[in-house]
Amino acid sequence: MTLRRRMTRGLGTIGSMQRRSFLLALAALAAPASGNATPAVALPRIAAVPGGVARVDLGPADTPPQVTVDGRRVLVMRPARDWSALVGIPLAARPGSTLALQVADAAGSREIAVRVQPKRYATQQLKVAPKHVQLSPEDLARHEREREHLLQVLQHWSDAPPSTLRLRTPVPGRRSSSFGLRRVFNGEARNPHSGMDIAAPVGTPVAAAAAGAVIDTGEYFFNGNTVIVDHGQGFLTLYCHLDAIGAASGARLAAGEPIGTVGATGRVTGPHLHFSVYLNATAVDPALFLPAATTG
Ligand SMILES: [Zn+2]
């Protein structure tokens, strides 16, 4: 209830969408006059590393440039006078390699190369009984179906820009620093860990990390009960292993509004929230978007 109030405070009955375009219009108006506009959107910490976020200057333009990388739309924003692209860099990107951004604006089309800076992630070797890593044909088929579905959901694009790129902590608790950790089971490499795990007791409320719209909910083999929220322009957050899902697909949420409770559903060893952040359908380090960790 408090959250609803926060959303509308000072804005009367103006909806969040109108409010957003109103604020952006204000920012646009302020830019030429002051020559040094107040940032309309708070930025994440920038690091052009695998699993990080690159900020690419796109120069001035009257209308937002359209940017893609690997055929996927990229978030563009105007933190000051000029436009910037915020590009999620895949964990699998090799340091020293380049990502090719395709930029289209009123001036035409161009390509901008983003060089990937080095970053090392830990590797964990695990030896376990084969039955713990081999899926039955039924489970494997289910997982394949769900993987396809989730890949589709993560490509979701909405034109409205996010109101912020700074996230609030979805649940208080001890955070793992295991984003990017590569796990090798019995010599077989798995996908690196694509999020942050936050330890909390079963039933602890989980809050939306920013305002947005629920674009998917479901009970998945690995992820358990899951909610995915779109914050605008491919900036998505994903909440997994929930005990209960507390938000319906299609619902619009204010920042901090409950989306469910912490649980241990899916393939997990204990209760925690798995929290992932996506830009251009690419998992990036949630720590870049959150306030500095507190112990607890
Ligand atoms: Zn996790």
Side-chain angles (χ1 to χ4, degrees):
M1 247 71 76
T2 340
L3 305 162
R4 288 272 179 214
R5 234 178 288 132
R6 187 177 298 137
M7 193 172 173
T8 50
R9 188 176 55 201
L11 288 159
T13 51
I14 300 173
S16 64
M17 291 290 289
Q18 282 158 298
R19 173 190 164 191
R20 199 174 287 155
S21 29
F22 172 69
L23 290 175
L24 284 171
L26 273 186
L29 282 175
S34 66
N36 186 17
T38 313
V41 179
L43 293 174
R45 282 178 280 278
I46 299 298
V49 298
V53 180
R55 178 180 170 181
V56 180
D57 185 22
L58 303 172
D62 291 335
T63 51
Q66 213 178 90
V67 180
T68 58
V69 64
D70 289 331
R72 291 161 175 180
R73 288 288 295 274
V74 171
L75 188 150
V76 294
M77 49 175 297
R78 200 179 200 177
R81 197 175 60 90
D82 292 353
W83 293 93
S84 287
L86 286 187
V87 191
I89 301 178
L91 269 168
R94 265 186 311 102
S97 66
T98 54
L99 299 181
L101 295 195
Q102 308 298 329
V103 181
D105 57 19
S109 301
R110 59 205 150 109
E111 190 176 291
I112 299 178
V114 179
R115 183 164 289 275
V116 180
Q117 305 298 318
K119 167 136 188 166
R120 274 176 170 277
Y121 290 101
T123 300
Q124 194 176 31
Q125 299 279 352
L126 295 156
K127 277 225 175 296
V128 290
K131 68 174 162 78
H132 292 307
V133 285
Q134 277 164 8
L135 299 186
S136 70
E138 294 77 26
D139 287 345
L140 190 62
R142 178 183 167 190
H143 166 57
E144 289 296 332
R145 280 196 308 276
E146 294 178 351
R147 201 169 63 95
E148 274 305 307
H149 168 74
L150 288 170
L151 282 175
Q152 285 300 313
V153 173
L154 294 176
Q155 311 244 3
H156 180 90
W157 178 266
S158 57
D159 284 322
S163 53
T164 180
L165 283 143
R166 285 300 185 136
L167 298 174
R168 55 175 71 198
T169 310
V171 70
R174 194 176 48 78
R175 297 176 191 172
S176 74
S177 55
S178 60
F179 175 82
L181 177 72
R182 271 179 276 252
R183 289 200 178 96
V184 182
F185 285 102
N186 303 343
E188 221 175 276
R190 296 301 161 100
N191 286 334
H193 190 226
S194 59
M196 165 188 278
D197 293 336
I198 307 174
V202 171
T204 310
V206 176
V214 178
I215 53 167
D216 190 68
T217 65
E219 193 254 311
Y220 301 115
F221 182 75
F222 279 105
N223 293 341
N225 290 326
T226 297
V227 172
I228 303 179
V229 179
D230 166 33
H231 305 291
Q233 293 201 7
F235 181 40
L236 312 179
T237 51
L238 167 130
Y239 311 80
C240 298
H241 314 307
L242 301 173
D243 191 52
I245 291 175
S249 208
R252 292 209 65 90
L253 303 170
E257 218 170 313
I259 57 101
T261 52
V262 171
T265 56
R267 282 274 178 127
V268 287
T269 51
H272 70 274
L273 176 72
H274 172 101
F275 177 59
S276 286
V277 178
Y278 291 85
L279 282 173
N280 46 274
T282 299
V284 288
D285 188 353
L288 300 171
F289 299 80
L290 290 171
T294 48
T295 46

